[in-house]
Amino acid sequence: MKHFFSRSAIALTTATALTLSLAACGDNSTPSNNTTNGSETGAPYNPISIAATPPDGPLIPTDTEEAGRKTLVWVIFDGLVRTDSKGAVINEVAESITTDDAITYTITVKAGQKFADGSALTAASFVDAWNWGARIENAQKAAGDLAVIKGYDSVHPRQADTAATATELSGLTLVDDLTFTVELTEPWSSFPAHLTSVVFSPLPQAFFDDVEAWKANPFGNGPYQIRGEIDEATGTYLEINPNYTGTRVPQNTGIYYRYYTDPDAIYQDVLADNLDLGSASGGGLLTAEADFGERFLTGPGGPTQTLTFPIYDEFWGSPQGLTVRQAISHAINREEIVDTIFNGLGQAAKEFTQIGLDGWRDDIPGNEVLDFDVSLAKSLLEQAGGYPRDELPIYYNADGAHKEWVEAVAYQIRENLGINAVPAPVTTFPDFLEQRDNREFTGPFRASEIPFSPGLDDMLRNIYSRAGGASSGSGWTSDEYEALLAEGRSALSIDEAVVYFNQAQEVLFRELPAIPLWYSFGASIYSTKITNVERWPIGGTPVFLIQKTA
């Protein structure tokens, strides 16, 4: 049997890649109804506090796309695999994942695993969860990750007004209590990397017995469990799952994810030791090294930032709109913004994924559209016949650290093209997502994505592919792009696969549904009350390792 656990084939981000996201504000007090110890050792409950984004819905893994939910789902669930501190994939719930042909995979689950309620975790916990998530009537936002499994189209028809003809994925077969097989729609040698998605988490029997009851009190098989109730206005407390037997053994008694609306408040709270872990942004990037010293951690691994366009809009979906997008891209001085707004903590983008991934190139044909060239930008705008609207709104969520760079981009577009570009803040991230998903935007909007495996296809598929749910929200689709991604996924070597993936990027550069801006560096800051804070190669800070000292 072939085993696909090479570093070049698969990896996964940790849950903590998203723990520093920003949103609604709250206090750091412990709820009065939670007085029991949160640690197996009996230590008093004293959670580490982390700035985060509130969840935008229930914590069902197959309904999880955005940072707020992912942050919680990743710590209350364990997947089949995860990465270690060096970025290499190790088994988590899986005992083994094997295949002979890269089409049918046999997955064996470790014996003795349990959910937080003490119920047994079996192979059926995965099979039932994936089948439920795939069913079209359950309307799961991230169900597209399951589309690689044979039978998905029968359970979840892609055409509107088409009824499902099955209720279970034909590619899933339960062999015994601890073993199941997965048959894919096509060969995909790096399918195990795809299993890093939270979509592939297991679900307990209690979920299927009463979905609404579970949604009100969600629990999984991960190292932590929700303590009390989720308060979307202030924050969420978590404590140790007493039935956890996995490898992410917590070195603390719990976590308090505290929700913010003001990025500057995060900085000040960490500086004052009122918050344990956060991220520096805006003006804080200029002072973090002096203020925090060794407690300021930075490096590659932050999100790739883009301006994404509403291609569903009549103008932006036209040939004229494409030429204007090209002009806008040439009018943006990425290096200047990285240096002045982010204090050099980033790098101008050269393509649509992120520097450092397997097969990354800085010379993909068509990427010259990212070059700063005011003369060419003006010429393209003239070729397009100008920009036909009074304003060019640039949408962003005001509760994130985006105001300064959006203002800088808008200024450059105004100065270099004469287009009346104006920042268009949306109060909260959930409101931003709602307006994006309802296609209310008439101009470009900020988007960002963190890579969850070292392969190019993870980001290319999740953001721009129909098969991955096209989470960019642009409404752009391309049959040529889909075909190239499919060719890359079926390749049996990374070297062969990246040729197709980068050809797919050529399509993105030609049609430009989004404009890559820069690769952000992570900028973590932490208080004097915690130790053992690390940054891992893919993702961010593994919160389960953090120790509370005060």
Side-chain angles (χ1 to χ4, degrees):
M1 301 286 279
K2 297 179 183 176
H3 296 257
F4 290 88
F5 285 108
S6 67
R7 170 67 179 86
S8 62
I10 43 180
L12 123 99
T13 189
T14 65
T16 55
L18 299 171
T19 59
L20 305 185
S21 51
L22 313 176
C25 183
D27 62 40
N28 195 26
S29 60
T30 303
S32 59
N33 63 334
N34 289 329
T35 57
T36 59
N37 292 342
S39 167
E40 291 177 337
T41 62
Y45 183 65
N46 186 21
I48 55 175
S49 56
I50 303 174
T53 301
D56 61 341
L59 303 186
I60 303 173
T62 49
D63 205 33
T64 300
E65 283 186 326
E66 302 300 337
R69 271 197 264 188
K70 281 185 178 178
T71 296
L72 295 176
V73 169
W74 254 314
V75 293
I76 69 170
F77 285 98
D78 267 357
L80 289 163
V81 294
R82 72 170 179 90
T83 52
D84 63 14
S85 61
K86 301 190 181 299
V89 165
I90 61 174
N91 288 335
E92 186 56 71
V93 178
E95 183 70 42
S96 63
I97 303 175
T98 60
T99 185
D100 286 325
D101 55 11
I103 295 178
T104 301
Y105 287 81
T106 299
I107 299 176
T108 301
V109 176
K110 291 177 180 176
Q113 301 288 296
K114 294 181 180 180
F115 289 98
D117 67 342
S119 61
L121 186 152
T122 67
S125 305
F126 290 95
V127 172
D128 292 345
W130 301 358
N131 277 324
W132 189 94
R135 292 181 191 124
I136 193 167
E137 65 268 21
N138 292 326
Q140 298 293 279
K141 290 183 178 180
D145 275 5
L146 299 163
V148 297
I149 301 174
K150 185 178 179 181
Y152 180 83
D153 285 348
S154 297
V155 176
H156 196 122
R158 300 170 194 259
Q159 298 298 320
D161 301 321
T162 301
T165 59
T167 59
E168 295 185 347
L169 297 164
S170 60
L172 294 180
T173 302
L174 194 61
V175 177
D176 56 40
D177 284 350
L178 297 177
T179 309
F180 67 105
T181 61
V182 184
E183 183 180 357
L184 307 182
T185 58
E186 61 188 9
W188 191 6
S189 60
S190 58
F191 170 67
H194 191 48
L195 295 175
T196 62
S197 166
V198 296
V199 169
F200 294 95
S201 302
L203 283 170
Q205 184 58 44
F207 173 87
F208 305 103
D209 292 341
D210 191 333
V211 174
E212 293 304 315
W214 183 92
K215 285 163 61 175
N217 294 283
F219 64 89
N221 64 315
Y224 297 93
Q225 63 184 12
I226 304 295
R227 181 183 176 97
E229 296 181 354
I230 296 173
D231 187 337
E232 295 185 6
T234 59
T236 301
Y237 287 89
L238 297 101
E239 61 189 1
I240 306 301
N241 171 7
N243 289 304
Y244 184 67
T245 57
T247 64
R248 293 189 294 164
V249 179
Q251 302 301 301
N252 47 65
T253 64
I255 304 170
Y256 174 49
Y257 286 116
R258 181 177 174 184
Y259 303 145
Y260 282 79
T261 55
D262 181 5
D264 292 335
I266 293 173
Y267 188 96
Q268 295 303 322
D269 278 350
V270 178
L271 189 60
D273 276 351
N274 293 326
L275 177 72
D276 290 322
L277 180 63
S279 57
S281 60
L285 293 174
L286 304 178
T287 59
E289 187 171 3
D291 284 343
F292 291 93
E294 293 182 352
R295 293 182 289 116
F296 173 50
L297 303 179
T298 186
T304 296
Q305 193 74 244
T306 67
L307 276 186
T308 300
F309 288 79
I311 304 303
Y312 53 80
D313 178 271
E314 183 178 1
F315 169 72
W316 293 115
S318 70
Q320 180 189 12
L322 171 58
T323 306
V324 172
R325 292 197 298 278
Q326 294 168 340
I328 291 172
S329 182
H330 284 299
I332 299 172
N333 188 335
R334 295 159 175 79
E335 287 83 359
E336 181 179 67
I337 292 175
V338 168
D339 288 342
T340 58
I341 303 297
F342 299 107
N343 199 28
L345 298 176
Q347 183 170 334
K350 296 294 185 182
E351 42 79 88
F352 286 83
T353 64
Q354 189 173 101
I355 187 169
L357 298 182
D358 290 338
W360 183 90
R361 288 173 51 188
D362 64 0
D363 61 349
I364 295 172
N367 78 341
E368 59 271 11
V369 75
L370 305 181
D371 295 340
F372 178 54
D373 189 330
V374 176
S375 177
L376 179 54
K378 291 180 177 178
S379 176
L380 286 166
L381 184 61
E382 184 178 355
Q383 290 177 33
Y387 177 68
R389 297 172 177 171
D390 293 335
E391 285 187 347
L392 176 73
I394 302 177
Y395 300 93
Y396 68 98
N397 53 299
D399 57 356
H402 308 296
K403 181 176 184 288
E404 290 85 356
W405 73 257
V406 171
E407 289 178 343
V409 167
Y411 174 81
Q412 290 183 352
I413 293 172
R414 289 196 303 270
E415 289 294 302
N416 297 329
L417 286 177
I419 293 175
N420 185 24
V422 294
V426 179
T427 305
T428 67
F429 192 46
D431 289 341
F432 174 87
L433 294 176
E434 182 178 5
Q435 291 183 32
R436 185 200 68 179
D437 294 345
N438 290 338
R439 297 190 166 184
E440 298 177 21
F441 295 155
T442 59
F445 51 93
R446 67 147 292 265
S448 61
E449 181 76 4
I450 295 173
F452 298 135
S453 85
L456 300 175
D457 55 321
D458 178 76
M459 293 180 70
L460 295 176
R461 181 179 183 278
N462 288 341
I463 306 173
Y464 303 106
S465 170
R466 292 189 299 268
S471 64
S472 73
S474 70
W476 175 82
T477 62
S478 165
D479 291 340
E480 179 185 6
Y481 180 78
E482 300 292 347
L484 288 166
L485 288 187
E487 289 282 357
R489 289 197 300 271
S490 64
L492 294 180
S493 74
I494 294 297
D495 290 342
E496 182 183 357
V498 298
V499 171
Y500 291 107
F501 295 148
N502 282 326
Q503 287 177 358
Q505 291 207 68
E506 292 182 41
V507 177
L508 289 175
F509 278 121
R510 189 171 68 241
E511 302 194 14
L512 214 61
I515 296 174
L517 296 175
W518 44 77
Y519 311 116
S520 303
F521 288 178
S524 301
I525 51 178
Y526 63 96
S527 75
T528 62
K529 296 180 178 180
I530 59 173
T531 60
N532 209 33
V533 184
E534 303 177 7
R535 285 191 60 84
W536 282 10
I538 297 176
T541 304
V543 295
F544 68 95
L545 293 179
I546 296 175
Q547 297 176 347
K548 189 90 170 184
T549 58

